[in-house]
Amino acid sequence: MPAYKAPLRDMRYVLFELLGGDDLTSLPGFEDFSRDTIDAVLEEAAKICEEVLQPLNRSGDEEGCAFENGVVRTPKGFRQAYDTFREGGWTGIACDPAYGGQGLPAAVNTLVEEMICASNLSFGMYPGLSHGAYVSVHTYGSDELKETYLPKLVDGTWSGTMCLTEPQCGTDLGLLRTRAVPSGDGSCKITGTKIFISAGEHDLTENIVHLVLARLPDAPKGVKGISLFLTPKYLVKPDGSLGARNGVACGSIEHKMGIKASSTCVMNFDGAQGWLIGEPHKGMQAMFAMMNAERLAVGVQGLGLAEASYQGAAAYARERLQGRSLSGVKYPDKPADPLLVHPDIRRMLLTQRAYIEGSRALAVWAAKTLDLAKRHADPAERAKAEDFIAVVTPVIKALLTDLGFEATNLGVQIFGGHGYIRENGMEQLVRDCRIAQIYEGANGIQALDLVGRKMPAHAGRFLRSVFHPISDHIAAKKSDPALAEFIAPLEKAFVRLQQATTFVAQKGMARPDEAGAAASDYLRLFGLTVLAYLWAKMAEDSLAKAGQDGFYRAKIGTARFFMERLLPQTGALLQAITSGAKTMMAFEDAAF
């Protein structure tokens, strides 16, 4: 397994130099989070990820979870690692101090999440799902539910899940059958089966708090009749101690392609006692509080795994001797030149690097904007930030996981046959990354959300929150000859994005299949254009500092590679989008 070192230099660069993270202290509640404090948090996070979590990654994959007599055991070392993680306060770093959390900015938490995902994604699933449950309860739960459950979720003594999917319904939650029958005491009896439940059963925590989508007896049909219920594994006594086992049990665990040390469970609810979160029949609203947080986090999973793959591939390319340079021997004292001299190896490494560093900038930009949406004193600024988060959430989830899968595949390719075998750990990164394109809303669904909901919303207001910064930047910088090699490609891509937006808006309004056919290509075009904007900003910033050290010179070189070798995809994407839906939809069903 490649050794992982947290990319702290680039993380600090993105947060503080590119995005001005020092101004976080101006937001209410963040006054104490100076650069020194944030640096200390990142240093400690790097230490636990490198020294505690990453050493368990390969062994956890090979051993997997075990299921016997309704009990799930996590792999060797996971319980001890979780105790260390919990005792260090890492389960609550982004949680409300009123419930024992540390209240760190989302921008910082995103960087910590990246480290966790890069070092051991399977482990990260357990506290990650707990945080999602925390978000829903904190946002929509009653005061009593908050006081009973949040302190334990925050300190990691208890963990959480989200129980949505059923055998007959995944994306289409309108088909959901799980029932909730009022008991007369303020609770309901929950009955049904849920599948693909991450962290549904395990041995890391004393209790597991399941958030379950179910239908009340008077529920309307479809998604408008779904409610959300808090259903614990063990009931909680009035004094806060654990009581009897609730009517919920794990029926089996899945045997999966990846994230094998994360228990993915079939959960059976048999008259389990549950309490309503939010209003009756408004469960989708409460569920999306969690889902939107998780979608940003899943995008970061793709980023983290890509970083781990790049580190392994770059080290291997420096060390592995294979063939001679096409332009002449570079290392005459060695029997062969290292892989790094070959153009195609450099193409793959630079592709990984350009996608990773661009994706990190996008993820932290979104997270910092999320902090503004929650804490800025001006309601107008909060509203602008909310618009931005609404439109970039599906882009981050889909783009970063797509690029993460591409990057981890490139890592295997650089290793060649040694990447395909288990011994070197590169193939695990591919397997682990693959699920990120599927869960928390498959990437095709994210694309439909972008073109079907976010694009037309409020007459395009959501889109303007992204388009205006890009347009303003191009207008301000296009006359600067020093930036021409970065601004000109960005402008071309942005024009293509505007043309694609017009096409999808016009054609999709009359024929929805046109929008559906264009959706995935449109999301990719959108995402690459946003990355180009961020790379243009990083290049400009680094040009002024290039004489200081190689870090900034590498930024400029990577920016050039992105603009010249990766951004031209936008031309083909526009052509594909404007070709329309006919070739897809005219194909006869019987021929498939």
Side-chain angles (χ1 to χ4, degrees):
M1 176 62 66
Y4 171 72
K5 294 293 292 183
L8 294 177
R9 177 71 189 275
D10 197 58
M11 290 179 167
R12 293 186 180 107
Y13 167 78
V14 168
L15 180 57
F16 294 114
E17 297 180 52
L18 179 66
L19 298 174
D22 287 310
D23 65 6
L24 286 169
T25 56
S26 66
L27 297 178
F30 288 166
E31 294 85 357
D32 295 333
F33 294 123
S34 66
R35 184 183 295 212
D36 288 344
T37 300
I38 291 172
D39 273 345
V41 171
L42 295 178
E43 290 279 358
E44 289 303 310
K47 191 177 299 182
I48 194 170
C49 288
E50 294 166 4
E51 299 176 4
V52 178
L53 303 188
Q54 203 269 343
L56 294 173
N57 194 36
R58 179 176 170 184
S59 61
D61 177 68
E62 293 181 341
E63 182 182 346
C65 292
F67 177 72
E68 187 176 359
N69 297 324
V71 176
V72 174
R73 295 193 310 276
T74 52
K76 182 179 179 181
F78 268 54
R79 288 188 66 176
Q80 294 84 351
Y82 183 81
D83 288 343
T84 300
F85 188 86
R86 179 181 58 78
E87 290 163 5
W90 296 105
T91 55
I93 63 168
C95 298
D96 189 342
Y99 299 101
Q102 298 173 42
L104 262 74
V108 180
N109 186 53
T110 292
L111 295 173
V112 174
E113 285 182 335
E114 183 197 326
M115 294 185 229
I116 294 170
C117 295
S119 57
N120 194 327
L121 176 57
S122 285
F123 179 93
M125 293 292 290
Y126 296 99
L129 267 295
S130 296
H131 185 72
Y134 158 86
V135 169
S136 282
V137 177
H138 187 268
T139 307
Y140 289 100
S142 66
D143 289 342
E144 183 178 0
L145 288 179
K146 291 179 184 179
E147 291 166 7
T148 301
Y149 291 94
L150 288 186
K152 295 292 189 178
L153 285 171
V154 169
D155 71 15
T157 306
W158 298 351
S159 60
T161 75
M162 191 68 182
C163 300
L164 286 72
T165 306
E166 298 181 5
Q168 78 288 346
C169 73
T171 300
D172 188 357
L173 290 173
L175 301 176
L176 185 143
R177 296 174 185 164
T178 298
R179 305 186 311 278
V181 179
S183 300
D185 60 359
S187 69
C188 290
K189 297 295 184 183
I190 312 297
T191 301
T193 296
K194 300 288 184 176
I195 65 170
F196 301 155
I197 307 306
S198 297
E201 177 64 28
H202 55 80
D203 57 359
L204 302 181
T205 58
E206 297 174 359
N207 201 7
I208 301 174
V209 181
H210 302 288
L211 301 193
V212 187
L213 291 180
R215 293 186 183 280
L216 288 162
D218 60 344
K221 292 182 178 180
V223 294
K224 294 182 179 180
I226 297 175
S227 301
L228 183 65
F229 298 87
L230 186 154
T231 308
K233 175 180 176 180
Y234 289 100
L235 298 173
V236 182
K237 296 179 181 178
D239 64 0
S241 63
L242 297 182
R245 178 71 184 256
N246 204 357
V248 53
C250 177
S252 64
I253 60 174
E254 304 294 347
H255 302 281
K256 311 185 296 290
M257 177 179 177
I259 55 168
K260 294 186 177 182
S262 169
S263 59
T264 303
C265 305
V266 174
M267 300 301 300
N268 297 315
F269 295 84
D270 186 10
Q273 195 169 11
W275 288 265
L276 183 69
I277 295 176
E279 299 178 28
H281 319 313
K282 301 292 185 182
M284 295 298 288
Q285 181 183 38
M287 181 269 289
F288 272 110
M290 176 182 184
M291 287 288 282
N292 284 332
E294 290 298 300
R295 284 171 175 172
L296 294 172
V298 170
V300 173
Q301 292 177 8
L303 166 60
L305 291 167
E307 173 67 35
S309 182
Y310 171 75
Q311 290 189 20
Y316 187 76
R318 287 192 296 266
E319 299 163 2
R320 172 74 167 171
L321 302 180
Q322 203 76 185
R324 290 297 188 183
S325 169
L326 297 175
S327 58
V329 175
K330 296 293 187 285
Y331 292 81
D333 57 325
K334 296 181 179 181
D337 289 334
L339 283 173
L340 195 59
V341 305
H342 301 299
D344 198 53
I345 297 294
R346 299 172 83 87
R347 174 189 66 82
M348 291 187 282
L349 288 170
L350 280 167
T351 298
Q352 288 181 301
R353 186 184 184 109
Y355 283 152
I356 290 164
E357 294 180 14
S359 295
R360 181 175 296 123
L362 174 55
V364 179
W365 183 22
K368 187 169 182 280
T369 307
L370 192 59
D371 289 321
L372 296 177
K374 291 181 177 179
R375 295 183 179 262
H376 201 284
D378 185 348
E381 290 299 315
R382 291 200 303 272
K384 284 170 56 179
E386 288 169 357
D387 286 354
F388 179 83
I389 293 299
V391 76
V392 300
T393 292
V395 176
I396 288 176
K397 194 280 177 185
L399 182 74
L400 269 59
T401 57
D402 282 348
L403 297 184
F405 187 65
E406 291 176 25
T408 54
N409 268 294
L410 289 173
V412 169
Q413 190 71 20
I414 291 166
F415 267 71
H418 293 282
Y420 192 70
I421 62 175
R422 180 175 293 182
E423 180 180 353
N424 292 301
M426 299 299 286
E427 57 82 35
Q428 182 192 337
L429 300 174
V430 178
R431 290 186 288 105
D432 285 354
C433 198
R434 187 62 186 88
I435 186 58
Q437 296 169 288
I438 299 172
Y439 59 17
E440 301 299 343
N443 286 359
I445 299 300
Q446 304 305 316
L448 288 174
D449 179 41
L450 178 62
V451 302
R453 293 192 182 98
K454 305 304 170 54
M455 180 192 293
H458 308 291
R461 193 186 78 204
F462 287 172
L463 288 186
R464 290 194 289 274
S465 70
V466 176
F467 283 18
H468 283 181
I470 297 175
S471 178
D472 292 347
H473 188 74
I474 293 170
K477 305 296 180 181
K478 67 183 301 182
S479 61
D480 187 341
L483 300 179
E485 62 181 315
F486 306 108
I487 298 300
L490 168 61
E491 186 174 25
K492 283 184 181 179
F494 185 52
V495 168
R496 290 167 181 154
L497 176 58
Q498 292 173 302
Q499 291 171 336
T501 302
T502 300
F503 176 87
V504 174
Q506 292 177 345
K507 298 290 185 178
M509 187 176 298
R511 296 188 297 277
D513 280 343
E514 291 287 348
S520 290
D521 289 330
Y522 180 83
L523 186 146
R524 177 89 171 204
L525 173 56
F526 190 110
L528 288 173
T529 305
V530 173
L531 293 192
Y533 164 67
L534 290 166
W535 269 118
K537 290 174 70 68
M538 287 189 279
E540 178 185 4
D541 178 70
S542 297
L543 282 168
K545 306 170 184 175
Q548 295 181 21
D549 60 42
F551 175 86
Y552 299 107
R553 293 191 294 276
K555 277 287 179 199
I556 297 166
T558 309
R560 288 189 177 119
F561 178 85
F562 179 86
M563 295 297 184
E564 294 180 10
R565 298 299 298 250
L566 300 179
L567 191 58
Q569 294 173 53
T570 56
L573 289 166
L574 175 61
Q575 185 173 354
I577 289 166
T578 54
S579 71
K582 185 176 180 181
T583 55
M584 299 180 200
M585 305 314 296
F587 197 83
E588 295 181 10
D589 290 5
F592 282 104

